[in-house]
Amino acid sequence: MTEPPATPDPVPGRTGPAAPPADPGPAGVSVRARGLGHRFSGTADLFTGLDFDLLPGEVVGVCGPSGCGKSTLLSILAGWLPPHTGTLETTGIERTGWVFQNPFGVPGRTALDHVVLPLLAKGLDRAGAETLAGTAMADFRLEAVRDRPFRELSGGEAQRLMLARAVCSAPDLLLVDEPTAQLDLRTAGTVNRTLGAIARAGTIVVIATHDPHTREACTRVLDLAVAAGASSGGEDDGEDGGAAGAAAAGGRTPAPGAPPDGGAAP
Ligand SMILES: Nc1ncnc2c1ncn2[C@@H]1O[C@H](COP(=O)(O)OP(=O)(O)OP(=O)(O)O)[C@@H](O)[C@H]1O
């Protein structure tokens, strides 16, 4: 059996087994993973031994090549999939939002209708809900498509619409799959800054991404290429720089409870 390291693991987002419990912070919200690993029946280990704590204010990038298990880790964080090994403890997570890369909507309903829905469900009247929805849509540069039916939206618009809707649900944990893959640089920058602002408002934001700009906008990176020991998992698509490149690129890990810098000011 391998002796546990005495000092924190240098791999970004991983700490040694002696890491203290996550400080749930004033809002009492946290996610604590210890020894997390997953494999599907018939596959090799996608990742093993992940130790990390997630706290409000963080934008955590889940990075690594295609097929390394990024979406799988999001499923585990959402509680949809039990990990093959390790434990995941959540504190104070009452609402989890997940924005898929290819979201579904109601084809004939307007973009605004989609964002208004969670606000009406919370008890706001239509006028109040439309005001807040309009603000969330503007944050994601969706003013121009406000009254367009969902079926007419582009893939990138549809995904940003779901981000705006997720924000209006005020989740404690927001999981986002490849939010900038379909976007031009300027719009991607807006999305990254908005996600940073959402985190600073008290949400834990976790983003699965290949995009180096999005990775750079994250306050911390969980690199699954590194977590897999570069021995299994997906193919290197070149966008992440592969296991070695990804390990070298690292990520910024703020002190627990410290405000993230993230380059993600709104
Ligand atoms: N239910 C399942 N049963 C078996 N294998 C699965 C299942 N779901 C995913 N996989 C496999 O697990 C691996 C990781 O999949 P996952 O979707 O998590 O990768 P990813 O890193 O998100 O990939 P991408 O960047 O291409 O979206 C892939 O090889 C995939 O084929």
Side-chain angles (χ1 to χ4, degrees):
M1 185 176 162
T2 309
E3 198 64 27
T7 53
D9 189 319
V11 174
R14 296 178 66 190
T15 53
D23 174 1
V29 173
S30 68
V31 175
R32 173 184 164 92
R34 289 294 178 271
L36 212 60
H38 200 73
R39 67 191 306 174
F40 290 102
S41 166
T43 71
D45 288 330
L46 294 172
F47 48 84
T48 58
L50 279 180
D51 296 331
F52 59 84
D53 298 317
L54 307 178
L55 293 170
E58 292 193 283
V59 181
V60 178
V62 178
C63 298
S66 180
C68 71
K70 298 182 294 297
S71 300
T72 300
L73 180 56
L74 294 195
S75 297
I76 292 171
L77 290 173
W80 292 358
L81 182 68
H84 183 64
T85 55
T87 58
L88 186 79
E89 290 171 21
T90 61
T91 303
I93 305 278
E94 292 178 4
R95 199 183 299 269
T96 298
W98 185 324
V99 178
F100 299 99
Q101 191 172 359
N102 297 301
F104 293 100
V106 182
R109 288 273 188 186
T110 67
L112 181 66
D113 282 341
H114 285 76
V115 184
V116 154
L117 196 65
L119 296 167
L120 294 177
K122 278 189 197 169
L124 270 72
D125 62 23
R126 179 83 198 183
E130 284 194 5
T131 301
L132 287 182
T135 302
M137 291 176 74
D139 285 343
F140 288 100
R141 303 187 65 207
L142 289 167
E143 302 97 319
V145 302
R146 174 186 159 110
D147 297 316
R148 297 247 299 273
F150 184 84
R151 65 170 170 270
E152 292 182 8
L153 303 185
S154 72
E157 288 166 345
Q159 196 187 23
R160 279 182 285 138
L161 184 68
M162 293 306 161
L163 281 168
R165 182 163 82 169
V167 168
C168 287
S169 302
D172 305 298
L173 174 63
L174 178 59
L175 308 169
V176 191
D177 210 346
E178 300 286 359
T180 52
Q182 307 180 69
L183 304 180
D184 60 89
L185 270 180
R186 181 167 169 239
T187 308
T190 300
V191 166
N192 288 334
R193 286 191 292 275
T194 303
L195 288 171
I198 292 163
R200 285 192 294 279
T203 296
I204 300 171
V205 178
V206 183
I207 305 175
T209 186
H210 291 276
D211 181 342
H213 298 289
T214 299
R215 178 186 174 122
E216 180 59 27
C218 291
T219 57
R220 186 151 56 106
V221 169
L222 290 172
D223 199 316
L224 298 190
V226 176
S231 61
S232 61
E235 301 159 19
D236 183 357
D237 57 13
E239 294 174 21
D240 308 86
R252 285 161 289 165
T253 306
D261 53 12

